[in-house]
Amino acid sequence: MDVLRRELQEVFHRHEFRLSALSEADIEACRQFISASTAISQGCAILSDLATNGSYFVISRLVDILGLHGEVPEEELIDIDEDFIYRCIHPEDLVDKRMLELRYFEKVVDLPAEERLKYHATCRIRMQKAGGDYIYIHNVTRIQQNDADGLMRLVTCLYDLSPDQNEILGINPHIVNVETGEVLQLALYEERFNILSCREKEILLLIKKGLISKEIADTLHISIHTVNTHRQNILQKLSVNNSMEAVQTATAMMLL
């Protein structure tokens, strides 16, 4: 359920990567860094290579809290998808987290290479424990290293148990410049409702009622082709496989 994946990939594709522009030694150094960081925080770290769509996972005691035994992948993945983590995130917070990441990468993608490294995206999200209750997790996303061409290449996503477990509205999203102290607070809670257009929401609600494409077309006085185009766009936006999954996901994320 990797919502907004297509939009994020479009930002990444503004870079034309050369695999040779970053050595295995550089990658290994970053792996060692996040391994050491995770050993201290006892959280979870994911190092993603934007050029290969591969990810390296380091998970400590957080796996026990979240009940992820048996689901943790073996270090290397050929896909950048973090679905085993996303399944633990509260559906409302997941879409807000992905919107924060989209805003973050849109902000830094065209910055000079060294300037880009100064920015982090931070938020506090709810993740489900093994027993079903939610706890608050502090999440940080940042560019870990650019490649030799000055393109953003390695990205870390850190999940640590938040010391503040008081209930809040939304995920408290920020983009922070760690050199200057500049803090940009984002208002994403309302933006979530604009992920789907009004027409897409209409169509999803009619699908939820059990209408097929022809019936939806007749109800909305549009062509079946238009209905099917909207349905495909909905699936892509929500990163789901079929319309019923789209209804369930949109309902869980409070998009309808």
Side-chain angles (χ1 to χ4, degrees):
M1 192 170 60
D2 192 357
V3 65
L4 295 179
R5 181 175 185 173
R6 182 182 67 174
E7 288 78 2
L8 281 160
Q9 289 295 333
E10 288 175 355
V11 175
F12 299 152
H13 288 162
R14 286 161 64 177
H15 284 176
E16 296 183 6
F17 297 104
R18 288 188 303 115
L19 295 182
S20 60
L22 193 63
S23 70
E24 183 58 37
D26 291 330
I27 297 174
E28 182 58 30
C30 287
R31 288 177 178 173
Q32 293 298 324
F33 175 81
I34 67 168
S35 293
S37 298
T38 304
I40 295 171
S41 70
Q42 295 298 305
C44 167
I46 302 172
L47 179 69
S48 297
D49 188 334
L50 299 181
T52 65
N53 278 353
S55 297
Y56 174 75
F57 294 82
V58 179
I59 296 180
S60 192
R61 292 184 181 175
L62 189 62
V63 71
D64 299 320
I65 298 173
L66 300 177
L68 288 175
H69 286 294
E71 296 192 49
V72 181
E74 294 187 9
E75 293 189 348
E76 295 291 347
L77 289 186
I78 59 172
D79 196 300
I80 211 168
D81 191 356
E82 301 169 23
D83 196 55
F84 81 103
I85 287 287
Y86 293 160
R87 284 196 298 272
C88 296
I89 302 176
H90 191 287
E92 291 180 62
D93 293 356
L94 175 58
V95 67
D96 287 353
K97 164 182 158 57
R98 296 297 276 168
M99 290 175 65
L100 168 61
E101 290 171 346
L102 179 59
R103 300 289 177 266
Y104 166 70
F105 286 112
E106 287 176 336
K107 179 177 181 63
V108 303
V109 64
D110 293 323
L111 290 178
E114 291 306 311
E115 189 71 17
R116 186 184 299 134
L117 300 178
K118 301 174 184 177
Y119 287 90
H120 297 178
T122 72
C123 61
R124 189 163 70 111
I125 55 179
R126 292 167 288 178
M127 295 186 73
Q128 194 170 38
K129 298 195 298 183
D133 294 331
Y134 281 95
I135 56 173
Y136 282 105
I137 300 293
H138 181 61
N139 178 231
V140 178
T141 300
R142 66 172 183 254
I143 308 297
Q144 188 70 35
Q145 186 165 337
N146 299 302
D147 66 17
D149 296 323
L151 306 180
M152 58 184 186
R153 177 70 182 268
L154 300 180
V155 176
T156 55
C157 191
L158 309 175
Y159 299 83
D160 298 318
L161 185 65
S162 173
D164 181 5
Q165 292 295 314
N166 294 315
E167 185 176 350
I168 62 170
L169 179 64
I171 66 169
N172 196 26
H174 295 80
I175 296 176
V176 180
N177 186 315
V178 296
E179 180 177 273
T180 67
E182 173 194 4
V183 177
L184 175 62
Q185 184 168 10
L186 305 180
L188 300 178
Y189 187 75
E190 296 297 330
E191 285 189 38
R192 181 190 325 134
F193 301 102
N194 295 324
I195 290 178
L196 299 177
S197 68
C198 292
R199 180 63 87 188
E200 289 165 347
K201 292 176 185 177
E202 282 182 310
I203 289 173
L204 263 187
L205 288 171
L206 293 174
I207 292 173
K208 189 175 184 179
K209 292 180 179 179
L211 275 65
I212 62 174
S213 290
K214 184 180 185 309
E215 294 170 326
I216 294 173
D218 292 341
T219 300
L220 299 178
H221 306 292
I222 57 179
S223 70
I224 293 179
H225 174 73
T226 299
V227 171
N228 290 334
T229 298
H230 282 305
R231 292 178 77 139
Q232 188 60 37
N233 288 338
I234 292 168
L235 300 186
Q236 290 179 342
K237 286 183 179 182
L238 299 181
S239 296
V240 293
N241 298 315
N242 56 60
S243 295
M244 292 314 300
E245 286 185 12
V247 169
Q248 294 168 359
T249 298
T251 301
M253 292 181 174
M254 304 292 289
L255 300 181
L256 299 177

